Amino acid sequence: MDPYEIEFIGENRIVNIIPNFSHDKIFLICGEFGPFRAGLPMNVPLWLGVMLKQKQKCRIVAPDWMDIEVLENIKEEEKKSRFFTKMPNEHYMVEAKLILGTAAEDKPRASEIKTIIKDIWDIRMSKLRTSMDALMKTGGSYGRLDHLTMMEINSVKPLLPQAMDELHRIKMNARKTMPVQSSLNSAVSQPGSSQSIL
Amino acid sequence: MSRQSNYLSISDILVTNEKIPCKFLHDLPKMGFLDPSSTEDDLKLGTNVEIPLWLAESLYFRKPPLVSVDLPKIYKEAYREILNADACTVDLHKLGQHFYELGCYIAKHDIKGEVANTLINTFRQRFRMILSASCSTDSISSLQPLSESERERTAAAAVTEKALSLWLQRGDCPLSTANMVASHRKRKRAEMEMF
Amino acid sequence: MEYDNIELSDDEEEITAQTVLRTLQNAWQNERLAPEILPHQNEMVECMLGQIQHMERNINKLPKTDLRASIHKMELNRIKFIICNYLKTRLDKIEKYCISILNDEKQRLESGTNYLTPSEYKYAQEYLINMESHLKEAALDHVPGNMQSFDLNKLVIYPNLQAHVFLKANETVTGIILEDLGGDQDEEIDLEENSQHILQYKPIADLLKSGKVQLM
Amino acid sequence: MFGEKVIELIKEAERNRDTIDQYNDEKVRQIIEEMHVLFKMNMADANATSENKSLWTTVQVRHSALERNKRCLLAYLYNRMNKIRTLRWEFGSVLPSDVRELLSDSEYTWFSKYSTNLATYMRSLGQDIGYSGIDLTENLRPPKSLYIEVLCMSDYGKLELEDGDVILLKKNSRHFLPTSECQTLIRQGILKQIT
């Protein structure tokens, strides 16, 4: 999948907005939202929040975790821990990009917040690289990856799963010291004696 | 991009085109041309010749086998020692374009299983080379000591890397011309400019 | 603009459009990430198409500049993307693994557990016929007699069930056996609820089809 | 050596992964001819095996070469088939003449049949509930906005929009259009999204 498809999935998350208009409930296929009352906070899917924001119909309320203090703590934890820590939500990067990208003026110190989130992302990405290398060195057939978000997992595709596939294929083929016909190498080796030649 | 080999796989056809040393266990009338150093019409029992893997495999699997297969240099003990010590120092671009894929075919001719172990070790050790090559900003130049499939994996990883950093940098992704359409337009333009 | 709850043909149980959408989105995600073709979700697709149709009719009654119209249109575009991408992903697999899918499907049809919709099945059969006649016309008919066969056993391409996938456990599942090629003993692992793993597809294929795990 | 011509064909298929080359009629013909020569030699030698038993191994070697040629020919055609399939998804059911010329007659027939099969399938979608089908070549990207600004890259002519409006797409003209109604033209390279 490409990042925009994962962003698309993340856009289904619910965010809090403050509309500047009033309107009855809207019945969407993904659920009912509203009523919209000017000045009163309410929940909508992220894609809708972004759309209304672009039409200047609302302010997006940044989620609680988009706060310098909270994020500094997360960053420290992430640095200290050998493992991946649990992020505030499983699409934190998508939320950060969309909310701080389209509604930066709704959030004080938005650019500082962006920087810390990017720092956390970078720490996790470098941890991910180290653990991939370790995974390949120690076994290369199984790994547990709690708390990694979908966007992070996507960043190691196709590299990690393909390397594991390839290692498996080498083990399967190379360990076969006897000439056995298998579906994996049947492309060339067709034991010949039984075959009709003419 | 997966390298699963099947009958119609171009990459497997190219791998099986590699030449490997074989010894003929039977006389082969009229096949003298398989040995470039000989001018005879027939190929004699006991002759050592390098033939493409596809031919070697099919002759080896006849009952009784028509050839015995020797290991290509890169899979022999001298190289195995170097590879097992530090696989990252070996230039597989020069010495083994299809190191792993060819190795999978060749390993069965090494009864002790040393080749198999070397393949697995080498693959594991060199993974970090791909890791670092895939996030370097240089394009994958022919200077890198990677085998063909390592190169493909690096290129695929670099595509992901690039898509991700573009996503992080910009807002919306503009819709764009389809891949083949764009390539054909480009080629057509290039052809027009030649005249 | 309210939607009605929908009744699925085989099921007495009423489910909401919201549930159908969620199921479909999940099916799309899994189809994109699984190496093999998964059981079709035709009822969900058709149900959603019905919703789209209903919704589109209503949007047309609204003034063009109505805010609601653009919100609904945006949602419909999102759903259309899921449906198109889902169906296209399946077509890609059907073409690539045509022979092996048709072989498996013939057996599944006998037991009534077909993975393909009738249209997809027809498409696959036609695709194979066209492939055969092209390869014959372009090459096989012109080569020496004993080389002319269109040999399905050789041309077949199998999905790589040994491929490694990322998954999240929707519920706790114990005793997944991982094949261990190195030692003598296979490894056994448990998947706790919400835990995430990278492992081979084959041992978890059935868990995916029964919804106990999902791919990421 | 056996199977050399056919490898040139395979390497041709391997190059230019994003474009399709002219169908190599001449080389395909030569390879088929080579196969007939090998086959005739085998017929003759197979009949002579009663006098010279070792000729049988020679027959087996040639047989392997025949199989190899067949495999490579099919792989060449199959690889091109996949590209032609992509052409259908990217250019649509009508190919530009310069692209069409790259295909052999048999390939063009395959393209048409593929296109018909695809159209039949797409028409069947949702038929039970009164749909006239769904075009799967659309909605390929996650939607971002309902309208986009586009620049026209060539003189295309009139485009009728769903609401009945007709606009004229002229080279270098700019338009503000519903995304859903111009994405195919963008993929075909007729329009370009301006960001």
Side-chain angles (χ1 to χ4, degrees):
Chain A
M1 287 195 171
D2 80 32
Y4 287 93
E5 290 176 285
I6 294 169
E7 179 177 283
F8 173 84
I9 295 168
E11 280 172 342
N12 290 323
R13 287 190 66 84
I14 300 299
V15 287
N16 203 248
I17 62 162
I18 301 173
N20 56 19
F21 64 100
S22 295
H23 197 289
D24 291 342
K25 253 190 193 178
I26 292 191
F27 295 92
L28 294 178
I29 293 176
C30 65
E32 20 179 293
F33 299 94
F36 297 76
R37 294 283 167 262
L40 288 184
M42 61 173 295
N43 286 337
V44 292
L46 181 53
W47 62 264
L48 181 51
V50 170
M51 185 176 168
L52 292 172
K53 176 70 201 176
Q54 280 167 344
K55 291 180 184 287
Q56 282 150 11
K57 296 274 187 200
C58 77
R59 273 194 312 127
I60 299 181
V61 183
D64 293 343
W65 63 268
M66 275 189 212
D67 170 273
I68 299 208
E69 216 170 292
V70 174
L71 287 166
E72 286 293 359
N73 278 333
I74 295 177
K75 185 173 154 185
E76 279 317 301
E77 282 301 307
E78 191 64 58
K79 263 194 207 158
K80 266 190 279 171
S81 169
R82 271 179 59 223
F83 302 103
F84 295 96
T85 62
K86 191 167 194 267
M87 288 289 102
N89 77 55
E90 53 190 346
H91 285 287
Y92 77 99
M93 210 50 197
V94 173
E95 251 184 27
K97 189 196 151 191
L98 291 178
I99 294 177
L100 299 174
T102 43
E105 74 272 16
D106 296 350
K107 180 74 195 169
R109 302 172 77 184
S111 81
E112 272 172 85
I113 293 175
K114 262 191 212 169
T115 310
I116 308 177
I117 296 175
K118 184 65 174 32
D119 289 346
I120 296 170
W121 167 269
D122 288 340
I123 296 168
R124 290 168 66 88
M125 290 309 265
S126 96
K127 217 184 258 189
L128 188 49
R129 295 190 164 280
T130 321
S131 30
M132 281 205 287
D133 195 27
L135 179 78
M136 288 308 289
K137 283 218 163 65
T138 54
S141 60
Y142 165 74
R144 183 158 172 164
L145 307 149
D146 287 350
H147 306 322
L148 272 177
T149 65
M150 213 170 164
M151 191 64 84
E152 289 161 343
I153 283 178
N154 201 59
S155 77
V156 302
K157 287 180 197 166
L159 182 60
L160 181 63
Q162 264 187 18
M164 292 168 82
D165 296 352
E166 187 61 21
L167 185 62
H168 176 81
R169 205 173 79 93
I170 295 173
K171 284 181 185 168
M172 287 273 289
N173 280 299
R175 286 256 162 86
K176 250 184 272 153
T177 41
M178 290 300 289
V180 209
Q181 192 189 5
S182 84
S183 63
L184 272 161
N185 63 8
S186 66
V188 204
S189 49
Q190 294 289 325
S193 53
S194 59
Q195 197 176 358
S196 81
I197 299 259
L198 286 168
Chain B
M1 275 287 245
S2 125
R3 278 210 155 231
Q4 242 192 320
S5 59
N6 57 60
Y7 187 76
L8 296 169
S9 146
I10 299 273
S11 62
D12 187 62
I13 288 178
L14 292 174
V15 170
T16 49
N17 198 49
E18 292 283 300
K19 288 192 174 170
I20 56 164
C22 286
K23 183 188 212 165
F24 278 87
L25 305 175
H26 291 265
D27 283 339
L28 276 178
K30 306 184 189 180
M31 289 286 136
F33 68 93
L34 289 175
D35 179 5
S37 67
S38 145
T39 50
E40 304 284 316
D41 280 350
D42 300 345
L43 194 72
K44 289 275 170 260
L45 178 153
T47 315
N48 290 299
V49 188
E50 291 212 330
I51 54 173
L53 176 65
W54 62 265
L55 184 57
E57 284 269 314
S58 90
L59 300 180
Y60 175 77
F61 279 113
R62 302 278 171 195
K63 282 173 193 150
L66 299 181
V67 293
S68 67
V69 174
D70 192 13
L71 300 178
K73 195 170 70 179
I74 187 83
Y75 305 101
K76 290 203 158 166
E77 196 172 354
Y79 269 106
R80 286 206 306 264
E81 271 172 21
I82 302 173
L83 283 165
N84 288 333
D86 185 358
C88 297
T89 58
V90 179
D91 185 345
L92 287 184
H93 181 60
K94 267 202 208 121
L95 297 165
Q97 285 270 358
H98 302 291
F99 179 74
Y100 305 107
E101 297 75 18
L102 188 58
C104 283
Y105 284 108
I106 288 297
K108 61 176 165 284
H109 302 290
D110 162 50
I111 298 139
K112 279 182 254 161
E114 306 274 350
V115 171
N117 288 332
T118 305
L119 288 176
I120 293 165
N121 267 337
T122 305
F123 189 86
R124 285 190 164 145
Q125 285 185 51
R126 287 172 67 94
F127 180 70
R128 74 174 153 89
M129 293 173 77
I130 300 179
L131 256 182
S132 60
S134 62
C135 57
S136 99
T137 44
D138 313 334
S139 60
I140 306 152
S141 73
S142 53
L143 293 171
Q144 269 167 340
L146 300 176
S147 85
E148 197 55 41
S149 63
E150 286 176 334
R151 211 165 272 229
E152 266 174 37
R153 275 200 291 283
T154 307
V159 169
T160 303
E161 201 70 33
K162 199 175 155 210
L164 191 60
S165 68
L166 277 177
W167 177 79
L168 286 166
Q169 276 164 31
R170 70 184 175 198
D172 288 0
C173 165
L175 300 170
S176 58
T177 312
N179 214 350
M180 264 213 178
V181 174
S183 308
H184 273 278
R185 297 257 146 109
K186 216 160 111 192
R187 188 161 80 174
K188 197 176 168 191
R189 262 201 308 281
E191 278 163 7
M192 306 272 272
E193 277 159 16
M194 276 165 53
F195 299 108
Chain C
M1 196 187 297
E2 204 156 346
Y3 53 81
D4 312 312
N5 283 349
I6 315 138
E7 245 171 81
L8 285 183
S9 52
D10 296 5
D11 255 19
E12 287 303 306
E13 200 186 335
E14 263 196 3
I15 56 170
T16 62
Q18 192 182 352
T19 313
V20 175
L21 178 56
R22 218 175 275 153
T23 313
L24 201 56
Q25 162 138 1
N26 217 356
W28 163 61
Q29 224 170 296
N30 285 334
E31 193 71 65
R32 276 296 296 270
L33 299 168
E36 66 168 338
I37 197 154
L38 299 174
H40 74 78
Q41 296 281 351
N42 206 23
E43 281 193 345
M44 298 292 154
V45 172
E46 295 211 328
C47 178
M48 218 10 80
L49 288 176
Q51 290 290 304
I52 292 176
Q53 206 173 32
H54 179 70
M55 198 63 103
E56 270 173 350
R57 275 194 209 117
N58 286 329
I59 294 173
N60 285 336
K61 290 180 205 149
L62 294 170
K64 249 188 177 179
T65 48
D66 192 294
L67 178 64
R68 270 181 305 166
S70 32
I71 294 175
H72 283 299
K73 269 189 197 161
M74 191 63 188
E75 188 187 35
L76 292 185
N77 283 352
R78 290 176 64 82
I79 298 172
K80 284 180 193 168
F81 166 72
I82 295 176
I83 293 178
C84 287
N85 201 297
Y86 170 69
L87 295 174
K88 177 163 193 290
T89 304
R90 293 178 59 83
L91 272 197
D92 290 345
K93 289 184 191 175
I94 289 172
E95 291 177 359
K96 183 157 187 207
Y97 309 121
C98 187
I99 298 170
S100 72
I101 286 181
L102 279 172
N103 285 344
D104 293 345
E105 192 68 4
K106 270 169 208 148
Q107 286 172 9
R108 285 191 291 247
L109 277 171
E110 278 170 24
S111 55
T113 52
N114 50 309
Y115 280 13
L116 306 187
T117 69
S119 295
E120 284 172 337
Y121 187 62
K122 232 183 99 205
Y123 181 80
Q125 284 177 311
E126 188 69 23
Y127 185 84
L128 182 59
I129 291 171
N130 291 341
M131 171 169 157
E132 180 173 357
S133 68
H134 172 50
L135 294 183
K136 280 187 172 158
E137 191 180 326
L140 295 174
D141 285 351
H142 311 287
V143 300
N146 67 337
M147 291 284 130
Q148 288 186 350
S149 65
F150 177 79
D151 192 346
L152 289 178
N153 292 330
K154 273 189 182 164
L155 296 172
V156 62
I157 297 175
Y158 295 99
N160 182 9
L161 301 183
Q162 264 84 36
H164 290 78
V165 292
F166 293 94
L167 69 79
K168 183 182 197 132
N170 294 330
E171 54 189 86
T172 299
V173 188
T174 54
I176 310 286
I177 312 270
L178 304 177
E179 186 187 357
D180 180 21
L181 294 158
D184 306 318
Q185 271 206 321
D186 288 343
E187 199 181 337
E188 198 178 304
I189 56 155
D190 296 337
L191 310 174
E192 291 155 41
E193 188 176 339
N194 284 326
S195 60
Q196 301 180 164
H197 312 258
I198 180 168
L199 40 62
Q200 272 188 11
Y201 176 76
K202 204 173 176 186
I204 58 95
D206 289 339
L207 297 174
L208 179 68
K209 288 165 197 170
S210 62
K212 294 197 171 82
V213 302
Q214 71 186 69
L215 300 181
M216 321 182 60
Chain D
M1 183 52 75
F2 299 124
E4 270 173 1
K5 261 193 204 90
V6 91
I7 276 293
E8 289 166 31
L9 205 55
I10 289 294
K11 286 192 174 148
E12 211 176 284
E14 176 77 344
R15 272 193 311 265
N16 308 326
R17 291 189 192 182
D18 289 336
T19 51
I20 186 160
D21 290 321
Q22 180 74 52
Y23 181 75
N24 200 333
D25 209 11
E26 179 56 23
K27 199 153 272 157
V28 169
R29 207 185 45 75
Q30 287 173 8
I31 290 158
I32 291 174
E33 205 168 283
E34 183 183 306
M35 289 175 78
H36 281 283
V37 171
L38 287 171
F39 182 71
K40 271 183 205 130
M41 289 165 126
N42 259 7
M43 289 289 269
D45 284 345
N47 291 332
T49 45
S50 47
E51 295 134 54
N52 181 355
K53 257 189 103 179
S54 64
L55 268 177
W56 189 241
T57 52
T58 298
V59 170
Q60 290 189 321
V61 171
R62 285 202 205 100
H63 183 76
S64 302
L66 276 163
E67 289 279 11
R68 174 73 175 180
N69 275 331
K70 174 177 171 179
R71 180 186 177 195
C72 293
L73 262 185
L74 291 181
Y76 173 72
L77 293 171
Y78 181 75
N79 190 271
R80 288 180 58 90
M81 249 175 67
N82 285 336
K83 285 185 177 180
I84 298 167
R85 167 197 176 276
T86 310
L87 293 178
R88 168 62 185 86
W89 285 87
E90 297 191 354
F91 282 97
S93 58
V94 181
L95 292 180
S97 60
D98 60 313
V99 176
R100 192 193 149 154
E101 279 165 16
L102 302 169
L103 312 187
S104 73
D105 289 348
S106 175
E107 282 177 331
Y108 190 69
T109 308
W110 186 80
F111 173 84
S112 309
K113 284 184 183 165
Y114 177 80
S115 199
T116 310
N117 192 25
L118 184 63
T120 308
Y121 171 73
M122 296 197 298
R123 254 200 319 276
S124 79
L125 295 170
Q127 224 172 28
D128 296 349
I129 54 164
Y131 262 73
S132 52
I134 302 173
D135 186 350
L136 295 182
T137 64
E138 283 178 4
N139 302 306
L140 291 173
R141 304 283 314 151
K144 273 288 165 188
S145 44
L146 289 173
Y147 289 87
I148 49 173
E149 200 180 351
V150 290
L151 174 68
C152 188
M153 307 302 286
S154 59
D155 288 319
Y156 177 78
K158 284 179 185 162
L159 175 73
E160 187 177 343
L161 299 177
E162 265 170 31
D163 61 10
D165 285 0
V166 176
I167 54 161
L168 185 63
L169 298 178
K170 269 173 55 183
K171 190 165 181 169
N172 293 327
S173 60
R174 284 172 172 240
H175 309 268
F176 193 62
L177 297 174
T179 315
S180 56
E181 294 186 58
C182 62
Q183 46 185 330
T184 301
L185 291 173
I186 293 177
R187 278 171 56 76
Q188 292 171 346
I190 292 153
L191 298 175
K192 191 178 165 196
Q193 185 177 357
I194 308 169
T195 44

